[in-house]
Amino acid sequence: MTQPRCSIALFATGGTIAMAPADGGGVAPSHGADALAAGLSLDAGITLERHDLFAKPSASISLADVQTIADAIEAAFARGVEGAVVTHGTDTLEETAFALALMLGRGKPVVVTGAMRSAGEAGADGPANLTAAIRVAANPAANGQGPLVLFGQEVHAAHLVRKVHSSRPHAFSSEPFGPIGHVVEGHLRFELATIADLPRLSVGGAVPAVPVVQAGLDLEPETIGAFANAPIGALVIAGVGGGHVSARAVEAIDRLNDRIPVIIASRVGMGATLRESYAYDGSEIDLARRGILNAGRWRPAQARLLTQLALSQGQDRAALADLLAF
Ligand code: ASP
């Protein structure tokens, strides 16, 4: 009997890749890991453990669920599995990949993938994505890169990638950087390496609610004031441009920041918030003077996850500021 060269653990969590037509129209979670793996032709020497963790649409995956995924991956690695693949809904895939990067750091390969088209649809992309993800997870070149996202034959770093289209199959991008590798004719080619260090965090206790409010033309003070007594742990504002809000919202933000941390991020989607460019009322300098925390390189959804994890560990405002400045 030939000795398996590489053992990979597949963790199914739901998403379109695992969905089938539901009564009354549309698709809903249906397949587990066995069905996902059925019919795949794996490279010689790869053995695949199959695990069903959940069968959820990805909007319902919680940070506690992501911790469950991270713990299951760590347990698999501890018993000698060489790589892990997580199938996941695409809607929040970038957030789970980012949270896994915070929880697991860099170690053996972890590859998150999904599909834009369910199994029954013409041109279903799940089998191709899953096959390529398993190849990446089985490739020693993926060691030490931190969790990766495989989509459309592209390999993305977990902290850079995001969903950029709601329906086309090529739905993920790491702009303004780029994918760090590709799977071509079945072979993994890395063009870049992820050298960015990320903080290490895990779920401590209860995860507090941290809403994200999007600013725009003339953010109203009432929008911020609505959170004055709300049971939330912090508020992230996806500010305009480099992290700005209307002058008339500043006082309400200041007041809320006396009670809970308020974090200013940017709604732009690419590029960090500014720190020392603009000095008018509602600018990043004005907000910093008032003690509002700056999200730096983290997108609003990432700032939210970092804040939720930090608060679940009981970290204070100063520690949170350091994390956001990481
Ligand atoms: N709504 C699905 C989900 O995120 C979309 C997908 O998987 O592509 O679960």
Coordinates of all heavy atoms in Angstrom, one line a residue, residues 14-17 19 56-59 88-93 114-117 151 163, ligand 1:
G14 N -21.0 25.7 4.7 CA -22.2 26.2 4.0 C -21.9 27.0 2.8 O -20.8 26.9 2.2
G15 N -22.7 28.0 2.5 CA -22.5 28.9 1.3 C -23.1 28.3 0.1 O -23.5 27.1 0.0
T16 N -23.0 29.1 -1.0 CA -23.6 28.7 -2.3 C -22.9 27.4 -2.8 O -23.6 26.6 -3.4 CB -23.4 29.8 -3.3 OG1 -24.2 30.9 -2.9 CG2 -23.8 29.4 -4.7
I17 N -21.7 27.2 -2.5 CA -21.0 26.0 -3.0 C -21.7 24.8 -2.5 O -21.6 23.7 -3.1 CB -19.5 26.1 -2.5 CG1 -18.6 25.0 -3.3 CG2 -19.3 25.9 -1.0 CD1 -17.1 25.1 -3.1
M19 N -25.0 24.7 -1.7 CA -26.5 24.9 -1.8 C -27.1 24.1 -3.0 O -26.5 23.9 -4.0 CB -26.8 26.4 -1.9 CG -26.5 27.1 -0.6 SD -27.1 28.8 -0.6 CE -26.3 29.5 0.9
K56 N -24.4 26.9 6.8 CA -25.0 28.2 7.0 C -24.8 29.1 5.8 O -23.7 29.0 5.1 CB -24.4 28.9 8.2 CG -24.7 28.3 9.5 CD -24.2 29.3 10.6 CE -24.5 28.8 12.0 NZ -24.2 29.8 13.0
P57 N -25.8 29.9 5.5 CA -25.4 31.1 4.6 C -24.4 31.9 5.3 O -24.5 32.1 6.6 CB -26.8 31.8 4.4 CG -27.7 31.3 5.4 CD -27.1 30.0 6.0
S58 N -23.5 32.5 4.6 CA -22.4 33.1 5.4 C -22.7 34.4 6.2 O -21.9 34.7 7.0 CB -21.2 33.3 4.4 OG -21.4 34.3 3.5
A59 N -23.8 35.0 5.9 CA -24.2 36.2 6.7 C -24.5 35.8 8.1 O -24.5 36.6 9.0 CB -25.4 36.9 6.1
H88 N -17.0 28.0 2.2 CA -17.7 29.1 2.9 C -18.5 29.9 1.9 O -18.1 30.0 0.7 CB -16.6 30.0 3.5 CG -17.0 30.9 4.6 ND1 -17.7 32.1 4.3 CD2 -16.9 30.8 6.0 CE1 -17.9 32.7 5.5 NE2 -17.5 32.0 6.5
G89 N -19.5 30.5 2.4 CA -20.3 31.4 1.5 C -19.4 32.6 1.1 O -18.5 33.0 1.9
T90 N -19.6 33.1 0.0 CA -18.8 34.2 -0.5 C -19.1 35.6 0.1 O -18.2 36.5 0.1 CB -18.9 34.4 -2.1 OG1 -20.2 34.7 -2.4 CG2 -18.4 33.1 -2.7
D91 N -20.3 35.7 0.6 CA -20.7 37.1 1.1 C -19.8 37.6 2.2 O -19.6 38.8 2.3 CB -22.2 37.0 1.6 CG -23.2 36.8 0.5 OD1 -22.8 36.9 -0.7 OD2 -24.4 36.6 0.8
T92 N -19.4 36.7 3.1 CA -18.6 37.1 4.2 C -17.3 36.4 4.2 O -16.6 36.4 5.3 CB -19.3 36.9 5.6 OG1 -19.5 35.5 5.8 CG2 -20.6 37.7 5.6
L93 N -16.9 35.8 3.1 CA -15.7 34.9 3.1 C -14.5 35.7 3.5 O -13.6 35.2 4.2 CB -15.6 34.3 1.7 CG -14.6 33.3 1.4 CD1 -15.1 32.3 0.3 CD2 -13.2 33.8 1.0
G114 N -15.0 29.1 -2.1 CA -16.5 29.0 -2.2 C -16.9 29.0 -3.6 O -16.1 28.6 -4.5
A115 N -18.1 29.4 -3.9 CA -18.6 29.4 -5.3 C -19.6 30.5 -5.5 O -20.3 30.8 -4.5 CB -19.2 28.0 -5.7
M116 N -19.7 31.0 -6.6 CA -20.7 32.0 -6.9 C -21.9 31.3 -7.5 O -23.0 31.9 -7.6 CB -20.1 33.1 -7.9 CG -19.1 34.0 -7.3 SD -19.7 34.9 -5.9 CE -20.7 36.1 -6.7
R117 N -21.7 30.1 -8.1 CA -22.8 29.4 -8.7 C -23.0 28.1 -8.0 O -22.0 27.3 -7.8 CB -22.6 29.1 -10.2 CG -22.5 30.4 -11.0 CD -22.2 30.1 -12.4 NE -22.1 31.3 -13.3 CZ -21.3 31.4 -14.3 NH1 -20.5 30.4 -14.6 NH2 -21.3 32.5 -15.0
F151 N -9.9 31.7 -5.3 CA -11.1 31.9 -6.1 C -10.7 32.2 -7.6 O -9.8 32.9 -7.9 CB -11.9 33.2 -5.6 CG -13.3 32.9 -5.4 CD1 -13.9 32.3 -4.3 CD2 -14.2 33.1 -6.5 CE1 -15.2 32.0 -4.2 CE2 -15.5 32.8 -6.4 CZ -16.0 32.2 -5.3
K163 N -14.7 40.7 -1.6 CA -15.7 40.5 -2.7 C -16.0 41.8 -3.4 O -16.3 42.8 -2.7 CB -16.9 39.9 -2.1 CG -17.9 39.4 -3.1 CD -19.1 38.6 -2.4 CE -20.0 38.0 -3.5 NZ -21.1 37.3 -2.9
Ligands
ASP1 N1 -25.3 34.0 0.0 C1 -24.2 33.0 -0.2 C2 -23.4 33.0 1.1 O1 -22.6 33.8 1.3 C3 -23.4 33.5 -1.3 C4 -22.3 32.6 -1.7 O2 -21.9 31.6 -1.0 O3 -21.8 32.8 -2.8 O4 -23.7 32.1 1.9

